[in-house]
Amino acid sequence: MDVFQVHQQLITDYRGFTSGFSQVRDERVRQHVDDRMRSGDQWPDPYLSLNPNFEAGGSIDDLVREDLLHPDCSRVFRISKDEPTGFGGYDLTLHQHQREAIEVARGGASYVLTTGTGSGKSLSYIVPIVDSVLRERAAGTYRPGVKAIIVYPMNALANSQRFELEKFLQRGFGEGEAPVSFARYTGQDRERAAILADPPDILLTNYVMLELVLTRPEEREPLVLAAQDLRFLVLDELHTYRGRQGADVAMLVRRLREACASPSLQVVGTSATMTTEGSESDRRRKVAEVATGLFGVPVAAAHVIGETLRRATTADPADAAAIAECVDRGTPPDAVDAFVADPLAAWVEREFGLAEDAESGLPVRPAHPSTLPRAAKRLAEATARSDDVCRAAIEATLQRGAALLDPRTRRPLFAFRLHQFLSKGDNVYLSLEPEETRYITSRYQTVVPDGSPTGSERILLPAVFCRECGQEYLAVTRISEGGGSRFMSRQDQDVSGGDTISGYLFVSTDVPWPESAESAIIEQRIPESWLVTASDGSVQIAARRRADLPEVLSVDPAGYEVDEGGTSVAYVPSPFRFCLRCRVSYEQPRSNDFAKLASMAAEGRSSATSVITASVVRSLRAQPDLKKEARKLLAFADNRQDASLQSGHFNDFVQVTQLRGALYRALLENPDGLTHEMIEQRVTDALGLSLPDFAKTPDAKYATGRRTWEALRKIVGYRLYLDLERGWRITMPNLEQTGLLKIHYTDLPEIAADESVWVDRHFALRDDDPEHRQELMRLLADELRRVLAIDVDCFDELGFEQLQKLSDQYLEDPWGLGERETRPETGIAFARSGGRGTQRRHLYLSGYGAFGRFLMREKQFPRTEAKLTRDDSQKIIADMLAIMA
């Protein structure tokens, strides 16, 4: 697998995502944002780490011959037992630290593993546990019950360990013949009753669940009774138990020992990141002190087991001339013996995998990880070759080393990893000055670093951007100070209604906000829905909107309101109601400002995770040399709730993109467009699904098969119409919003040109140009469609009920309707009433609404001399609806 190609595609996709849903209008600010993105501030060069090779501690068979392990361990711990039937696998070779752990465990002492990630820490306690159970069986002292409890900080780790135990304890043995039993007992288990009835030898759980076991009577009695004289307690990832949580776990260990009557309980801890300070002996002593306090039993410094590393290569990593020859050669050796003797391979191993301990001189992991560009630069300095050539040589060496297996351990010679940190980025911060002179930065600061020439500070305020036009606003809090007002930085832009001290500052020299409301009306800066027509025919601002108008002020660079000499700004109280430049307005006053204003520090975490996940999975599927079962991605979440949220979001993300992709492909295959009658069939065909992909009965035939396909087509049609709603997915605009889809309406030109249908309609429409009538009808149809005022069967009550029945009977998740999915609230009832019915979904299409105001605008109908009123606009809308129907 070419991991560098996967990484490059990941960065490309994430860059497109973070830059695609927000725009910046101001040229200087846009240049600043573009420069940051090009420099990779949000995705710094990944750290590259090479899993080091460990000193061998002998094979399982060797330890059996030395009587360190029971003979049956040779049957249990073998590699590749899951290969074709009849193959018993390979003998497992242990690392030196694993052998040391087994030796300490045989002596009955508690111990701690402090080896690095990927060092096989789990085998360091699993082997002793299994060996103990096997010896009890052989001696005839075996008693059914729990012999070991392994505690993980996350259920995901317990799940992963369960699969590892399956490889050793189940594969290679017949059904029910496993020598040692195990089970996972966590909050997500459905088989608790079976575990309580027949407790296993090894119990995998988390510390919260273990606490509950000791407090719930229905669980305490069977499990604690089964765990009498408990032999092992393992605490994985010890570094997570600190502070109050560490104290809780320490008390839990003591209570468990008392409840299980286990005075000789062995406690085992593992962690790769306990401490890095001091010498090796200092670190062992510190870890022993911490473990003693946590375990409640003495842990000797000698029983803190670290890793013993060895070099995989044999060449001199400092031979610059030989390394230069390898760089010029371009292709690393493809045989194991030649590769381990390759000078460039030795240099790569030293750069990314091994360093020398200053105290002992032994190989250790590097204290500081390196990046590929940094390593390429060092190699270029040593070999007098270009950075690009050296980078390509390093990548090729790493890839070849990962493909070659060590004949002794059957593990890759170079098992390396890329550690990529992805950031949502920081806000853009601007000083309170005119656009051409203001200070711009993306580093969080409260004031401009160089100060002000006048001696007063110049504050920095976070910028947010209109999602429609990219106009910048400064997020502020307005406070009273010294008898006047002062504006301070505000980080949280998502302010709900009723907060009068939070808002935004609008700074513009080319389109400043007018000083008076009358001027704003004349310049057509006020949204149509904010205006009313007085009895004298004049246009005024609605009384309920006057308190929400922007306030023109003058402020100095420190944020104080001043009488003169400051920067002219318009203060917009939160929540954000309309853009002062493009006039896009929001009729839901308490809605979240995230849907209206974009911040460079808020990309939509769930959407970002879904994009990253999809990118990696898609890249893995494109790797020809990767086995199908290996094309997987493992993702961790902080808790079960986050995992559930993210999995649901990802499922929705995949289905939406899959459906939109099918619609796009169907449109490409039908350049003349798709009509209502054919769109369901063509898009379903473009999905490329087979019956088992969506059917509850995968092998359905005849009428059942036909009905199953019909159900899928109807669901596809329903989802397509539902996706026409504008703006409900901020980070996932639909195809129309991205410019990939255009929607036309049948017969509009003919209807607009047919004078006979307009004779009895409102005089403004009757006397209008056909082209203008067509444009008005298109605008009205667009407004209706974007609030789902669409007359289709799946949106009415009976049609949706039939759709639910089809879905429940024939379709499997995720293609069917969800259990809690309800019929969408649409504007169809209003549309059918001709503009006089109930308003839904904030569909302001009556004479009091935005579209009505648009119709009443002066000179909107050039052929009409009369001034239009509210009643006129309502009649015009009703006439157009009636004719289009």
Side-chain angles (χ1 to χ4, degrees):
M1 181 184 77
D2 189 348
V3 67
F4 299 106
Q5 182 182 2
V6 174
H7 172 261
Q8 183 180 13
Q9 186 60 49
L10 169 65
I11 297 303
T12 299
D13 291 342
Y14 187 68
R15 179 191 289 113
F17 170 74
T18 55
S19 63
F21 63 85
S22 60
Q23 55 180 321
V24 180
R25 188 201 61 83
D26 184 84
E27 184 176 348
R28 290 183 63 226
V29 177
R30 184 173 63 250
Q31 185 64 46
H32 171 81
V33 172
D34 291 344
D35 289 344
R36 281 188 60 234
M37 194 161 290
R38 278 193 294 269
S39 67
D41 279 2
Q42 293 175 252
W43 40 85
D45 293 327
Y47 291 118
L48 198 152
S49 63
L50 190 65
N51 270 11
N53 283 267
F54 300 96
E55 195 65 55
S59 68
I60 293 290
D61 289 348
D62 292 336
L63 271 64
V64 167
R65 284 190 288 269
E66 297 175 32
D67 197 31
L68 278 174
L69 293 177
H70 187 273
D72 283 349
C73 286
S74 293
R75 296 178 56 214
V76 174
F77 297 104
R78 299 187 70 79
I79 302 173
S80 302
K81 286 196 297 183
D82 53 339
E83 291 196 2
T85 304
F87 179 68
Y90 303 102
D91 185 19
L92 174 63
T93 300
L94 297 174
H95 303 317
Q96 177 61 31
H97 61 265
Q98 293 171 333
R99 179 193 179 99
E100 292 175 13
I102 294 171
E103 291 174 341
V104 173
R106 282 297 308 274
S110 296
Y111 59 96
V112 178
L113 266 294
T114 60
T115 57
T117 304
S119 61
K121 288 191 291 292
S122 60
L123 279 179
S124 300
Y125 56 80
I126 290 296
V127 174
I129 291 172
V130 172
D131 176 67
S132 176
V133 176
L134 293 176
R135 288 181 183 274
E136 286 185 8
R137 289 185 181 275
T141 59
Y142 175 81
R143 179 182 58 84
V146 179
K147 309 300 185 303
I149 297 177
I150 306 176
V151 180
Y152 297 93
M154 292 189 296
N155 286 345
L157 295 175
N159 297 338
S160 175
Q161 189 61 64
R162 185 184 65 171
F163 296 138
E164 287 298 307
L165 288 173
E166 286 177 358
K167 289 197 307 185
F168 291 121
L169 295 175
Q170 290 183 353
R171 296 175 186 174
F173 298 95
E175 183 70 26
E177 296 181 4
V180 179
S181 60
F182 64 92
R184 180 193 62 187
Y185 196 79
T186 62
Q188 61 190 11
D189 294 324
R190 298 180 179 177
E191 56 272 8
R192 285 195 207 173
I195 295 175
L196 294 175
D198 184 18
D201 296 317
I202 303 174
L203 193 69
L204 312 177
T205 187
N206 57 68
Y207 85 94
V208 175
M209 199 66 200
L210 185 57
E211 174 83 29
L212 294 175
V213 166
L214 294 180
T215 55
R216 291 173 175 171
E218 67 276 11
E219 297 177 50
R220 178 185 173 94
E221 183 174 349
L223 282 184
V224 172
L225 183 63
Q228 292 300 296
D229 197 24
L230 184 69
R231 183 78 172 82
F232 290 94
L233 174 65
V234 179
L235 298 177
D236 195 45
E237 304 292 347
L238 275 184
H239 60 274
T240 62
Y241 304 124
R242 60 184 67 183
R244 184 187 63 79
Q245 187 180 18
D248 289 345
V249 172
M251 296 301 295
L252 178 63
V253 172
R254 289 157 174 81
R255 288 168 52 211
L256 180 68
R257 180 186 293 110
E258 181 180 355
C260 297
S262 303
S264 60
L265 176 68
Q266 278 184 271
V267 188
V268 181
T270 71
S271 177
T273 55
M274 287 290 283
T275 180
T276 58
E277 298 179 358
S279 64
E280 177 67 20
S281 57
D282 293 336
R283 291 195 293 269
R284 286 175 182 264
R285 186 170 56 253
K286 181 62 176 177
V287 171
E289 292 175 1
V290 174
T292 297
L294 189 63
F295 295 172
V297 295
V299 177
H303 295 159
V304 176
I305 303 170
E307 57 194 18
T308 306
L309 306 182
R310 69 173 182 85
R311 291 181 58 193
T313 57
T314 58
D316 182 5
D319 188 347
I323 295 172
E325 291 181 7
C326 296
V327 172
D328 294 337
R329 181 187 60 212
T331 304
D334 56 3
V336 172
D337 292 341
F339 184 86
V340 298
D342 185 67
L344 179 57
W347 186 93
V348 169
E349 183 181 31
R350 186 186 65 176
E351 178 70 20
F352 297 108
L354 292 177
E356 187 175 285
D357 183 65
E359 181 181 359
S360 64
L362 296 175
V364 294
R365 294 179 188 248
H368 303 288
S370 184
T371 65
L372 196 56
R374 193 183 307 162
K377 184 175 182 62
R378 280 200 281 265
L379 182 60
E381 292 172 353
T383 61
R385 304 299 189 269
S386 70
D387 287 9
D388 291 340
V389 170
C390 289
R391 176 169 181 154
I394 293 173
E395 288 185 1
T397 302
L398 287 168
Q399 297 274 42
R400 182 60 55 82
L404 295 174
L405 298 182
D406 187 325
R408 180 178 59 86
T409 64
R410 298 192 178 275
R411 297 186 180 98
L413 286 171
F414 281 2
F416 69 94
R417 290 169 292 172
L418 293 178
H419 302 263
Q420 177 65 66
F421 295 90
L422 296 174
S423 168
K424 61 183 179 181
D426 203 352
N427 280 318
V428 173
Y429 297 91
L430 307 175
S431 61
L432 249 175
E433 296 167 300
E435 298 104 305
E436 62 274 8
T437 60
R438 63 188 172 192
Y439 183 82
I440 305 172
T441 183
S442 290
R443 178 173 297 179
Y444 175 69
Q445 302 168 83
T446 57
V447 296
V448 176
D450 58 357
S452 172
T454 62
S456 62
E457 65 182 17
R458 298 156 62 198
I459 65 171
L460 289 169
L461 302 172
V464 292
F465 304 90
C466 172
R467 291 193 181 274
E468 291 292 327
C469 68
Q471 172 64 42
E472 70 280 359
Y473 293 85
L474 304 177
V476 296
T477 296
R478 188 178 192 178
I479 61 176
S480 297
E481 189 172 311
S485 294
R486 188 184 186 188
F487 297 99
M488 303 293 292
S489 173
R490 173 167 62 86
Q491 294 299 318
D492 184 11
Q493 73 179 72
D494 297 333
V495 179
S496 58
D499 189 349
T500 58
I501 66 170
S502 297
Y504 306 92
L505 293 182
F506 171 76
V507 182
S508 177
T509 54
D510 59 334
V511 286
W513 188 255
E515 294 280 349
S516 66
E518 291 75 14
S519 298
I521 294 174
I522 293 173
E523 295 179 20
Q524 298 185 1
R525 302 286 294 277
I526 305 292
E528 298 288 345
S529 60
W530 287 43
L531 304 177
V532 296
T533 304
S535 56
D536 61 358
S538 62
V539 177
Q540 300 178 359
I541 296 174
R544 63 187 177 87
R545 294 295 195 181
R546 289 171 187 164
D548 301 329
L549 285 173
E551 181 182 359
V552 177
L553 304 168
S554 181
V555 294
D556 67 10
Y560 291 98
E561 183 180 350
V562 294
D563 294 330
E564 58 182 16
T567 301
S568 179
V569 303
Y571 174 67
V572 183
S574 63
F576 191 76
R577 291 172 173 83
F578 73 95
C579 178
L580 277 61
R581 176 175 288 272
C582 68
R583 296 196 311 153
V584 61
S585 62
Y586 303 93
E587 301 297 343
Q588 295 174 308
R590 294 186 181 274
S591 62
N592 197 308
D593 281 358
F594 177 77
K596 312 164 190 175
L597 298 169
S599 168
M600 296 302 170
E603 83 294 317
R605 183 180 64 176
S606 293
S607 296
T609 305
S610 293
V611 167
I612 293 168
T613 303
S615 174
V616 174
V617 172
R618 189 168 56 248
S619 295
L620 292 178
R621 289 180 175 177
Q623 298 291 323
D625 58 339
L626 197 62
K627 294 180 180 179
K628 186 176 182 180
E629 58 269 20
R631 298 173 186 176
K632 299 175 182 178
L633 174 69
L634 180 62
F636 289 92
D638 290 339
N639 51 62
R640 186 178 179 185
Q641 288 75 15
D642 279 358
S644 298
L645 172 67
Q646 188 59 54
S647 61
H649 186 281
F650 187 68
N651 288 337
D652 178 66
F653 172 85
V654 170
Q655 187 176 45
V656 169
T657 52
Q658 191 173 3
L659 197 60
R660 289 178 179 176
L663 174 59
Y664 181 70
R665 289 192 299 273
L667 289 170
L668 291 179
E669 294 172 2
N670 298 270
D672 294 333
L674 296 172
T675 63
H676 167 74
E677 295 79 14
M678 61 194 303
I679 190 167
E680 292 179 359
Q681 180 67 56
R682 298 299 171 84
V683 174
T684 302
D685 293 343
L687 282 171
L689 299 175
S690 59
L691 207 59
D693 294 328
F694 60 88
K696 282 191 173 180
T697 307
D699 56 351
K701 297 180 180 179
Y702 315 121
T704 302
R706 292 191 295 272
R707 291 288 286 171
T708 304
W709 279 105
E710 179 188 0
L712 177 66
R713 287 193 295 270
K714 289 187 177 296
I715 287 290
V716 167
Y718 168 73
R719 299 288 185 206
L720 289 173
Y721 283 115
L722 201 63
D723 199 38
L724 293 177
E725 185 178 8
R726 184 180 181 88
W728 73 285
R729 284 186 173 98
I730 299 303
T731 55
M732 288 185 66
N734 60 32
L735 294 186
E736 182 185 20
Q737 292 172 274
T738 57
L740 296 174
L741 169 69
K742 289 185 178 180
I743 297 178
H744 302 284
Y745 304 96
T746 305
D747 297 335
L748 273 193
E750 291 80 0
I751 295 173
D754 188 354
E755 299 293 343
S756 64
V757 301
W758 301 100
V759 172
D760 299 328
R761 302 300 176 180
H762 190 277
F763 63 86
L765 293 172
R766 181 195 63 203
D767 300 335
D768 204 5
D769 291 326
E771 293 80 7
H772 190 246
R773 282 197 295 247
Q774 178 184 340
E775 180 64 15
L776 289 179
M777 286 191 292
R778 186 188 62 78
L779 290 174
L780 178 58
D782 285 343
E783 290 291 324
L784 289 166
R785 174 176 52 77
R786 286 167 184 160
V787 292
L788 302 184
I790 307 171
D791 191 5
V792 289
D793 292 342
C794 57
F795 281 173
D796 65 38
E797 189 171 347
L798 179 60
F800 187 78
E801 183 179 340
Q802 293 174 342
L803 191 64
Q804 277 184 316
K805 291 180 180 178
L806 282 173
S807 171
D808 293 342
Q809 186 171 356
Y810 295 106
L811 299 182
E812 193 64 83
D813 289 337
W815 291 102
L817 296 178
E819 291 182 4
R820 300 182 181 179
E821 191 163 355
T822 59
R823 184 172 66 92
E825 185 181 358
T826 69
I828 189 62
F830 178 81
R832 283 174 171 165
S833 69
R836 292 183 292 274
T838 302
Q839 295 180 355
R840 295 191 180 186
R841 306 281 302 227
H842 299 277
L843 180 59
Y844 295 97
L845 291 178
S846 70
Y848 301 93
F851 196 76
R853 281 294 143 211
F854 168 75
L855 295 175
M856 293 165 58
R857 188 180 299 167
E858 187 177 0
K859 297 182 181 179
Q860 183 61 58
F861 292 91
R863 293 187 178 185
T864 301
E865 297 292 338
K867 193 172 187 65
L868 299 180
T869 66
R870 234 179 297 176
D871 292 337
D872 289 322
S873 67
Q874 188 171 359
K875 181 65 168 63
I876 290 172
I877 292 174
D879 283 345
M880 284 194 294
L881 285 172
I883 289 176
M884 288 193 298

